[in-house]
Amino acid sequence: MKIGNGFGTRKFELPGSRTHYAPSLLFTISDMRLSVEPDFNSKTISCDQELEIIAIQDIDKIVLDISELQIKSVFFITYAYNTTSNNNNTPPNKKRLDFHNYYDRLHIDLGRLITEGTAFHINIIYSTKPRKGFYFVEPDEYYPKKNLQAWTQGETLESKYWFPCIDHPMVKFESEVSVTVPMNFIAISNGILQAIKVQKQRLNEVDGNSNKTNKKRVFTWVESNPHPAYLTSVVIGKFAEMRRMYNKDIKLLYYVPQDKKNDAARSFEHTADMIKFFEQYFGIKYPYSKYSQVTVEDFMYGGMENSSCTTLTVDTLHDKKAHLDFTSDHLVSHELAHQWFGNSVTCRDWQHIWLNEGFATYCEALYWESSMGTDEFQYYIMQTADDYFDEANNRYKRPIATKTYKRPDDLFDRHTYEKSGCIIHMLRNHIGDKYFRRSLKTYLRTYANSVAETHDLRKILELESGESLEQFFDQWIFRAGHPNLNVEFHVDPANVKLKIEQTQEGDMFEFPLDVKLVLSSSSSPFTSECENGRDERRRKIEWEEAIYTFDISERENVFQIPMQNQKGTKIEWISIDPYFKVLKTISLKAPKEMLINQLHDGRTVIERIESARALKNESSEDVIESLQKTVMEDNFWGVSVEAAKTLGLIKSDSAYEALKKCLSSYVKHPKVRRAVVRAIGEFTKEDSLNMLKSMLINRDRSYFVEAEIATAIGKIKSLQSIPILKKAIEMTSFQDVIAQGAIKGLKEFNENKEIAALLIEKSRYGHSNRIREAATFALGKFVRENREVFDHLKKLLTDKWLRVRINACRAFADAEDPKAIPELTWVIEHDIDDKVTRTAEECLNLIKESMKVSKEFTTIREDVDKLKSKNLEMMQKVSRLERQLLQ
Ligand SMILES: [Zn+2]
């Protein structure tokens, strides 16, 4: 029985969604001077803001976005040099204005008519104890080592929680931000550091020290490139600062906690190289005068690309062992690429956010291509596509550019990042690298320091390439989904017959598709001994390859390739889209002999991986042997990973033995070892326990392999595993990945009260965020049988750390516990964070839908369970930046 759309393809548009349009602007903000003085004790900020505003129409009042700001007074300022004044020597004149707050808006009565085109200045004095936008981080008895810091996060609509603004990406302004901090602290903001001034403040006379003064420092940063409110940033703390120069004129600044100084280079060492690469690739200079990267505590994302001053999670800093199979390059190149795509050229409205995130995602791949080569690049694109397919299959499909959503935060999903990245890759292939690069240059130059929307990009691509792209944009950007292709072929002496069927529900797609025929002379020697004498199957002959491009325009497409001129040749294999020019899934039916040839000898990583995946339906010995050989010998690790995955899916005894052989011969690449261990774990066979146990006890070279081992051990569900996993939870590792892996393993013991108690303990405030998050989610497996777990998860729904709140929602969804419905409803109505409320809504829907499915239909149950766990796994990794951390 098949489950309809209602479950598998979740709706993106939650109740309450509506069509969003960019706001009308009767005036705009052109400049902001902002003084911020934080008080770390009361967690408040006191601010003095001056806005330069330009009237677009004749106006006598203005309305600004604010949230929870205590506005003390508003003044109209007239400067001597103001165009409205004739006297150049008069000091600024401040006139108090009437104002009132109404529904998160500050209404200011200007007390005069300002005519269109006139610039004027408003001064706003306010304070706030911000719940969003501006975050204080401090040590406490549970986290005594935490650094005292404060940082801001504006995207999407959080800047209005710390300064009055028009909180919309289309309004961009210059800024001068001054931050008053204790003497040993520094403050970082947008632009260049104009001054650090020491300020003396007299201490309160009440404490008997009336003659004593308290010194503070005021950091003033000036950004002369206009930026939207959401890219405005302040970071305050004690940091080790590292300075580098790029091209003698751009300062590169890296700020990390003092005790992490030695790890900083691993994360940031390629920054200058990345700037150089992007400048060359786009043909446009880095748009700002400095680039700082600061790592902060408790950051909710991987990074945020504030104009010229990126904020990153401190978790990206890593030790030598983690560096074996973890890199900050993707995160660093992503945020850096935003300085062009997103910051210099900003999306005009949230519906066009893919112009920021899709490009930043694709730029990660572009830098990866330049630094690591074609194989790595191609696999990166395939993984990016897989991440999108995950969301499309298990959550929902939606158009990349859509005006209909509930909150702009909803748009930050795998469509905006991964799918858009893939579509940009398609565009590059569609018009060719030369015209693609030329278009990027024109786009970045035309809209520099301004805003752009989807059609602006299309018009430039059309102008530079001559290609008509409206159909392309309609199909891939403004419509949901992607083609799923069933491919079959039949070879006879005269012809190759190819049947390509589009099997996706909904609309049909039209696109060109490459098909490669690989031919060899049938008399060619098949095996030979390679140079080092090892008995390896190697081909000495040169393949003849022919690529045919077919227009796919129907549901069912049949093509014939005549073979009359190819006498004496044999088709070794036929590969579909060997350069991944089209975002699609392929279900390929081909003789296994051809697939094996393709697996061993495919030229591109994509070809070899497609055959590894297509082999999942075979289980004969020659297939197992070929996959095993690929795991151990392919010269690119990604192909080995995919072969290991296929062995895991084949699930036969000999596939299991093959995987064990791979592990015992110690496959070199840590990511391949990880995949082999994971595949072995899928078999849940008790006889792998000893091998896995000894691997964990003897420690692997990679934290991530160790984490995978711990999870695999748990899956075996032997009582012997429990003490090992308990020990693994205590192992120190990068981002606590081993502990997380062990917790994932322990959730298999969902009838064990002692484990439930352990997970409750590990989810408590005081443990590392990552351990708490993993333990919270794992508790979902225990909640149905255990009232104490239910009550504890309920408490976690109001936890200080938002990712614990998010995982508490997911745990309830995993349990499908109807008792949690009022609790999740409470979260939806009360949580301040949009990411949490969105998760709660999706989880509530999961529970409600699971209630509709009668428990008697066990086959449906299984399908539902599978979909649900995939969906929750998906939601575990909300954004690409998080994925980068978990990679
Ligand atoms: Zn981004």
Side-chain angles (χ1 to χ4, degrees):
M1 199 169 163
K2 232 180 132 188
I3 305 234
N5 265 351
F7 199 92
T9 308
R10 314 218 69 78
K11 291 277 282 173
F12 162 72
E13 294 159 14
L14 292 173
S17 292
R18 61 180 176 84
T19 313
H20 288 75
Y21 301 99
S24 298
L25 287 184
L26 307 189
F27 64 92
T28 191
I29 296 168
S30 53
D31 200 355
M32 172 173 83
R33 186 191 55 72
L34 178 66
S35 299
V36 182
E37 182 163 3
D39 180 336
F40 280 89
N41 293 322
S42 62
K43 298 195 184 67
T44 56
I45 52 171
S46 305
C47 306
D48 183 323
Q49 184 197 44
E50 187 179 322
L51 296 174
E52 183 185 72
I53 293 172
I54 298 171
I56 292 172
Q57 288 189 2
D58 299 345
I59 49 171
D60 58 5
K61 59 177 179 294
I62 57 168
V63 182
L64 297 171
D65 294 318
I66 55 167
S67 256
E68 305 180 3
L69 302 184
Q70 306 304 314
I71 307 291
K72 292 198 178 80
S73 42
V74 181
F75 300 97
F76 192 95
I77 303 183
T78 314
Y79 282 104
Y81 56 78
N82 195 308
T83 48
T84 56
S85 167
N86 294 324
N87 186 345
N88 288 338
N89 297 320
T90 14
N93 177 18
K94 282 175 90 168
K95 190 173 183 301
R96 197 175 280 274
L97 296 177
D98 287 340
F99 65 88
H100 66 275
N101 303 343
Y102 194 63
Y103 278 118
D104 273 1
R105 296 268 203 283
L106 174 62
H107 295 250
I108 301 171
D109 185 351
L110 298 172
R112 70 199 71 194
L113 184 75
I114 308 279
T115 50
E116 57 175 311
T118 309
F120 59 98
H121 294 81
I122 294 289
N123 177 208
I124 304 170
I125 316 288
Y126 65 96
S127 64
T128 181
K129 186 171 179 157
R131 291 195 297 156
K132 282 169 97 171
F134 195 108
Y135 298 84
F136 289 92
V137 179
E138 61 178 357
D140 60 18
E141 56 176 312
Y142 296 95
Y143 299 97
K145 285 186 184 162
K146 196 174 272 190
N147 291 303
L148 187 62
Q149 294 176 347
W151 44 262
T152 65
Q153 167 57 34
E155 199 172 27
T156 51
L157 300 177
E158 295 196 6
S159 290
K160 61 183 178 183
Y161 283 83
W162 67 284
F163 62 89
C165 55
I166 301 174
D167 211 351
H168 192 276
M170 74 194 275
V171 176
K172 296 175 82 169
F173 48 86
E174 297 172 29
S175 68
E176 179 189 306
V177 176
S178 300
V179 190
T180 307
V181 297
M183 280 305 281
N184 46 1
F185 281 59
I186 62 168
I188 303 144
S189 186
N190 309 81
I192 53 165
L193 181 60
Q194 195 186 54
I196 308 173
K197 285 184 186 152
V198 176
Q199 194 183 65
K200 286 180 187 165
Q201 289 177 335
R202 186 167 290 175
L203 282 176
N204 197 333
E205 290 191 17
V206 181
D207 62 12
N209 293 316
S210 57
N211 294 328
K212 281 197 176 172
T213 52
N214 183 19
K215 282 186 187 170
K216 286 196 167 184
R217 291 202 289 179
V218 183
F219 287 76
T220 302
W221 295 82
V222 176
E223 178 55 78
S224 56
N225 294 291
H227 53 87
Y230 83 87
L231 292 171
T232 312
S233 167
V234 165
V235 175
I236 303 162
K238 292 179 189 171
F239 297 101
E241 183 192 81
M242 275 153 282
R243 286 166 177 265
R244 304 278 183 277
M245 286 305 283
Y246 173 73
N247 267 0
K248 293 184 186 158
D249 56 348
I250 293 173
K251 266 187 201 151
L252 304 181
L253 303 165
Y254 314 136
Y255 297 98
V256 298
Q258 288 287 355
D259 58 336
K260 299 262 182 177
K261 213 175 158 182
N262 295 336
D263 292 335
R266 276 182 213 102
S267 289
F268 302 131
E269 63 184 349
H270 298 135
T271 307
D273 191 42
M274 289 171 188
I275 297 181
K276 191 175 164 194
F277 168 73
F278 288 139
E279 282 190 344
Q280 282 173 357
Y281 194 87
F282 309 148
I284 299 282
K285 289 267 172 217
Y286 173 74
Y288 302 94
S289 46
K290 73 117 187 341
Y291 188 55
S292 63
Q293 294 173 94
V294 52
T295 56
V296 300
E297 305 242 17
D298 287 352
F299 200 52
M300 66 281 267
Y301 302 111
M304 179 62 212
E305 69 275 15
N306 304 303
S307 293
S308 82
C309 54
T310 284
T311 306
L312 300 163
T313 167
V314 73
D315 285 353
T316 199
L317 300 176
H318 52 282
D319 62 20
K320 214 172 155 186
K321 180 167 173 175
H323 202 52
L324 187 68
D325 45 353
F326 176 86
T327 175
S328 297
D329 278 4
H330 306 311
L331 178 62
V332 170
S333 60
H334 179 106
E335 306 306 342
L336 177 64
H338 269 312
Q339 304 302 321
W340 286 266
F341 290 96
N343 298 7
S344 175
V345 180
T346 307
C347 59
R348 187 172 177 271
D349 196 1
W350 297 115
Q351 60 172 300
H352 307 291
I353 186 66
W354 77 278
L355 295 174
N356 295 15
E357 298 303 346
F359 274 101
T361 302
Y362 192 58
C363 287
E364 292 169 41
L366 285 173
Y367 177 71
W368 204 233
E369 180 179 28
S370 91
S371 64
M372 301 295 285
T374 308
D375 287 357
E376 287 277 357
F377 170 71
Q378 290 181 339
Y379 194 46
Y380 203 73
I381 295 292
M382 285 190 97
Q383 286 178 301
T384 305
D386 287 344
D387 284 346
Y388 155 67
F389 292 139
D390 249 5
E391 181 163 275
N393 296 335
N394 302 310
R395 206 171 166 210
Y396 52 70
K397 299 184 192 83
R398 66 168 179 88
I400 286 175
T402 175
K403 291 196 233 345
T404 312
Y405 50 85
K406 190 165 178 184
R407 317 165 189 95
D409 274 18
D410 296 349
L411 296 166
F412 288 71
D413 60 4
R414 294 188 175 193
H415 285 70
T416 287
Y417 288 78
E418 283 85 355
K419 186 178 183 190
S420 304
C422 291
I423 301 307
I424 294 167
H425 179 63
M426 284 179 65
L427 266 172
R428 181 186 175 200
N429 281 298
H430 192 73
I431 64 173
D433 195 56
K434 181 172 149 189
Y435 300 109
F436 177 71
R437 289 174 65 170
R438 198 178 288 170
S439 304
L440 297 192
K441 185 176 178 175
T442 307
Y443 173 77
L444 289 170
R445 203 177 41 207
T446 308
Y447 297 101
N449 281 329
S450 184
V451 294
E453 54 184 78
T454 304
H455 290 304
D456 296 327
L457 176 73
R458 177 181 55 78
K459 284 181 200 159
I460 282 178
L461 287 158
E462 289 182 335
L463 185 80
E464 293 296 351
S465 71
E467 300 272 353
S468 167
L469 294 170
E470 221 170 334
Q471 187 265 346
F472 184 100
F473 271 68
D474 276 354
Q475 179 168 280
W476 298 105
I477 302 288
F478 293 107
R479 251 172 52 194
H482 58 269
N484 294 327
L485 303 182
N486 261 1
V487 181
E488 280 179 50
F489 53 81
H490 178 76
V491 180
D492 65 35
N495 283 306
V496 173
K497 277 185 199 149
L498 205 61
K499 195 172 118 188
I500 300 172
E501 195 187 349
Q502 299 193 43
T503 60
Q504 74 278 2
E505 284 176 17
D507 292 332
M508 201 183 66
F509 283 73
E510 288 183 41
F511 54 92
L513 184 72
D514 286 351
V515 174
K516 183 165 104 175
L517 255 59
V518 180
L519 307 160
S520 70
S521 159
S522 54
S523 56
S524 301
F526 207 60
T527 56
S528 70
E529 215 159 80
C530 69
E531 284 162 25
N532 61 11
R534 276 192 300 146
D535 182 22
E536 239 180 41
R537 211 172 96 132
R538 281 279 166 97
R539 291 168 193 274
K540 273 189 175 171
I541 50 156
E542 277 297 308
W543 301 121
E544 241 186 75
E545 296 182 347
I547 292 191
Y548 299 84
T549 305
F550 297 108
D551 281 325
I552 305 294
S553 55
E554 307 289 338
R555 275 255 164 230
E556 211 177 285
N557 306 267
V558 179
F559 305 103
Q560 289 201 6
I561 305 169
M563 298 298 290
Q564 283 92 337
N565 300 330
Q566 312 281 357
K567 277 199 178 139
T569 58
K570 180 176 155 232
I571 296 179
E572 290 290 329
W573 72 86
I574 296 172
S575 70
I576 310 297
D577 193 17
Y579 296 96
F580 209 87
K581 292 183 184 175
V582 180
L583 180 69
K584 42 67 195 90
T585 64
I586 302 178
S587 171
L588 177 64
K589 273 197 196 123
K592 71 175 180 190
E593 293 75 14
M594 282 194 185
L595 291 174
I596 290 174
N597 289 346
Q598 186 176 341
L599 180 67
H600 290 308
D601 298 312
R603 282 269 170 86
T604 70
V605 160
I606 294 156
E607 272 183 280
R608 303 207 292 282
I609 290 175
E610 289 297 355
S611 60
R613 289 179 178 181
L615 281 167
K616 71 174 190 294
N617 300 320
E618 306 283 344
S619 57
S620 59
E621 286 307 309
D622 51 346
V623 168
I624 304 289
E625 202 183 294
S626 294
L627 288 165
Q628 184 193 328
K629 189 176 158 67
T630 302
V631 175
M632 288 164 68
E633 292 174 11
D634 196 283
N635 56 24
F636 182 63
W637 64 270
V639 181
S640 302
V641 164
E642 297 292 329
K645 271 190 207 169
T646 302
L647 283 170
L649 291 170
I650 290 175
K651 278 252 153 97
S652 69
D653 285 348
S654 51
Y656 176 65
E657 291 304 322
L659 285 163
K660 267 176 51 176
K661 267 182 219 152
C662 294
L663 207 55
S664 56
S665 61
Y666 198 72
V667 280
K668 241 186 182 169
H669 200 291
K671 287 185 181 173
V672 182
R673 282 206 301 287
R674 222 194 284 180
V676 172
V677 171
R678 187 179 301 164
I680 285 179
E682 296 298 326
F683 287 83
T684 62
K685 288 205 178 194
E686 194 141 6
D687 80 329
S688 55
L689 184 61
N690 283 338
M691 183 168 66
L692 294 170
K693 228 163 76 180
S694 74
M695 279 178 77
L696 194 59
I697 290 163
N698 296 326
R699 304 299 304 262
D700 194 272
R701 287 192 301 131
S702 153
Y703 291 128
F704 296 92
V705 176
E706 293 176 316
E708 208 66 65
I709 296 169
T711 306
I713 286 176
K715 285 196 168 157
I716 295 165
K717 241 186 148 176
S718 149
L719 286 178
Q720 284 182 52
S721 313
I722 295 176
I724 310 163
L725 295 179
K726 279 184 174 169
K727 232 176 168 178
I729 292 191
E730 306 306 326
M731 284 181 180
T732 312
S733 59
F734 169 63
Q735 293 185 357
D736 286 309
V737 288
I738 302 177
Q740 290 185 61
I743 289 169
K744 219 171 156 190
L746 280 172
K747 76 179 179 198
E748 303 293 331
F749 299 90
N750 57 351
E751 282 138 25
N752 188 319
K753 287 210 160 150
E754 203 194 316
I755 303 288
L758 174 70
L759 292 175
I760 287 179
E761 164 52 28
K762 291 294 173 188
S763 68
R764 285 189 204 282
Y765 190 73
H767 293 285
S768 86
N769 283 341
R770 288 180 188 266
I771 290 179
R772 300 188 66 217
E773 291 159 28
T776 304
F777 183 60
L779 282 170
K781 292 276 180 258
F782 299 76
V783 72
R784 275 208 168 233
E785 313 301 324
N786 193 323
R787 184 73 214 184
E788 204 188 329
V789 172
F790 184 93
D791 291 341
H792 181 69
L793 277 175
K794 195 175 144 183
K795 264 187 236 155
L796 293 177
L797 288 174
T798 55
D799 197 82
K800 282 186 185 176
W801 179 233
L802 75 102
R803 299 224 170 271
V804 163
R805 303 206 295 278
I806 284 174
N807 277 9
C809 295
R810 289 170 183 162
F812 279 131
D814 197 21
E816 295 177 0
D817 191 344
K819 288 199 302 296
I821 290 177
E823 317 304 333
L824 291 172
T825 309
W826 187 90
V827 173
I828 294 163
E829 286 166 4
H830 293 88
D831 201 287
I832 190 174
D833 194 287
D834 290 348
K835 289 176 286 300
V836 180
T837 50
R838 164 110 209 165
T839 307
E841 279 189 70
E842 289 196 29
C843 288
L844 186 72
N845 288 342
L846 277 170
I847 296 176
K848 283 183 178 169
E849 279 172 33
S850 72
M851 287 163 67
K852 283 186 208 153
V853 181
S854 162
K855 311 260 160 173
E856 286 158 33
F857 294 106
T858 49
T859 48
I860 306 180
R861 276 285 349 134
E862 277 168 19
D863 281 354
V864 171
D865 281 347
K866 240 183 244 167
L867 282 166
K868 185 197 68 191
S869 66
K870 273 189 177 173
N871 190 298
L872 288 166
E873 250 171 53
M874 259 288 316
M875 286 159 70
Q876 282 284 83
K877 305 179 250 172
V878 197
S879 78
R880 174 164 195 82
L881 298 188
E882 279 171 84
R883 195 205 73 175
Q884 285 169 344
L885 290 173
L886 294 162
Q887 205 176 46

